[in-house]
Amino acid sequence: MAEDLLKVEGLKQYYPVSGGLPGKKTFVKAVDGVDFEVKRGEVFGIVGESGCGKSTLGKAICKLIEPTDGKIILDGEEIQDYNSNQMRSVRKKVQMVFQDPYASLNPRMSVRDILAEPLIVHGLAKGKKEIDDKVVELLRAVGMDDYHARRYPHEFSGGQRQRIGIARALAVRPQLIVADEPVSALDVSIQSQVLNLMSKLKKEYNFTYIFIAHDLSVVEHISDRIGVMYLGNFVEEANKENLYKNPMHPYTQALLSAVPIPDPNVKKDRIILEGNIPSAINPPSGCKFHTRCPKCMEICKREAPKKYQVGDDHFVYCHLYDKDNPAVNKTESKSPAKDTNEPEAEKEK
Ligand code: SF4
């Protein structure tokens, strides 16, 4: 088994909010105690609805924001408390690609200067000729022509700008690239080109990716393993095959039931979730999904579920899979949704 490049333990990212009760501090719990690992060379997809904390988690891993609590261990180094000086060497190992390529590129800098900047800052090229050669090499790696170096971000299409963003991340030859919704601002026809480019570069440079997206089809296309997030926590983690063929968490089942299948002969029941995602300022007690879960039981309102292994490389945070807990009782269920993935504990009854 490949070793872990990244290990995240109990990571929290809280933001204080004003206007709470007097004498009581109120926080938005954007990321609320997350644990996961990413193996060297894999693509770990993070998926969830807007506001679930996935982008905040990506920024915290890259230390673009200071985590409130928890550990971030990158390539064996604990980096959560590193200051900006200490982070300089780490920046060579981890880079981020952003959702909006236009906003992330300085409009006053030419592409040559945008790509030269990380090379100079990290001492990876010296002298004009070496820098220019490396800029051209980077442009070619992302499928762009040499003359594009002289142009400015506004002269490019969205897809080309995202290629420039990827080339900038590539410049320092990082071990880990955190890509936050890298194709969601692009036309569908361009999305697959950028995804294919990212897959190609991964093979060539042996990157590890964390790929964050709300679109399950996009995540399926590129990921090896996937974590599903809901309101600041993971609810299910599995390799791609297990997650898409056999989703076990009621939230994942609902998300996947909404993904259209191109074959008109394949029919599936859509699971409609009631209500909106609750506020991260005052999340529900127990299992945070209990206010929308079609399989909610009494215990779910009181106790947060632990992580249960339900198969090879397949983990779920749900009381339905706690076979040893007598409080987990099918009769408590309020309106079980139809699906073919009932847990073993349920089937045996
Ligand atoms: Fe639903 Fe309970 Fe499982 Fe949460 S723990 S997903 S509320 S069954």
Side-chain angles (χ1 to χ4, degrees), residues 98-345:
F98 297 91
Q99 174 179 5
D100 182 351
Y102 196 54
S104 69
L105 301 174
N106 187 335
R108 283 187 285 274
M109 288 169 79
S110 67
V111 169
R112 187 264 179 203
D113 289 346
I114 288 170
L115 298 183
E117 192 177 49
L119 296 170
I120 296 165
V121 167
H122 293 285
L124 299 170
K126 289 192 187 93
K128 188 174 175 314
K129 176 156 187 337
E130 193 185 353
I131 292 169
D132 286 344
D133 287 349
K134 288 225 162 152
V135 165
V136 165
E137 194 185 306
L138 288 167
L139 282 173
R140 288 179 187 172
V142 297
M144 294 182 77
D145 292 321
D146 303 3
Y147 70 89
H148 285 136
R150 295 191 295 278
R151 296 195 166 174
Y152 287 79
H154 73 271
E155 297 177 74
F156 294 97
S157 66
Q160 286 173 316
R161 285 198 283 258
Q162 195 55 290
R163 284 172 190 265
I164 297 165
I166 292 167
R168 181 179 54 184
L170 199 65
V172 297
R173 298 287 172 97
Q175 296 181 32
L176 174 66
I177 291 184
V178 179
D180 181 16
E181 300 269 14
V183 297
S184 61
L186 307 177
D187 289 347
V188 175
S189 57
I190 307 296
Q191 285 188 356
S192 57
Q193 291 175 16
V194 174
L195 288 174
N196 290 339
L197 169 68
M198 292 181 75
S199 298
K200 177 180 100 81
L201 292 172
K202 179 189 174 299
K203 282 186 202 127
E204 278 175 29
Y205 294 91
N206 199 24
F207 291 140
T208 304
Y209 283 131
I210 292 180
F211 193 96
I212 299 167
H214 67 277
D215 185 327
L216 284 145
S217 321
V218 167
V219 173
E220 182 182 17
H221 183 91
I222 196 160
S223 305
D224 301 311
R225 223 155 47 84
I226 295 162
V228 181
M229 270 187 95
Y230 185 81
L231 213 55
N233 296 98
F234 282 113
V235 296
E236 183 159 4
E237 281 170 53
N239 63 41
K240 177 166 68 179
E241 288 70 31
N242 281 342
L243 192 92
Y244 282 82
K245 286 199 188 123
N246 192 20
M248 303 291 258
H249 193 282
Y251 179 59
T252 318
Q253 290 168 354
L255 280 184
L256 284 172
S257 79
V259 175
I261 295 176
D263 184 348
N265 297 318
V266 177
K267 291 208 168 38
K268 64 176 176 181
D269 291 332
R270 172 100 193 256
I271 302 169
I272 309 281
L273 294 179
E274 289 172 16
N276 293 321
I277 189 164
S279 164
I281 297 177
N282 189 18
S285 58
C287 171
K288 289 180 182 172
F289 185 56
H290 88 251
T291 53
R292 300 171 78 196
C293 180
K295 298 180 180 177
C296 176
M297 303 169 284
E298 278 308 313
I299 188 175
C300 307
K301 299 171 191 170
R302 300 188 309 267
E303 289 178 28
K306 293 188 196 126
K307 183 176 185 176
Y308 298 102
Q309 180 154 16
V310 291
D312 262 0
D313 201 10
H314 197 164
F315 302 89
V316 187
Y317 297 77
C318 175
H319 288 302
L320 287 169
Y321 302 95
D322 182 2
K323 293 177 197 166
D324 300 327
N325 190 340
V328 176
N329 183 336
K330 196 161 98 175
T331 56
E332 292 179 12
S333 180
K334 68 176 182 191
S335 59
K338 272 187 202 167
D339 67 69
T340 54
N341 297 312
E342 287 200 341
E344 291 308 311

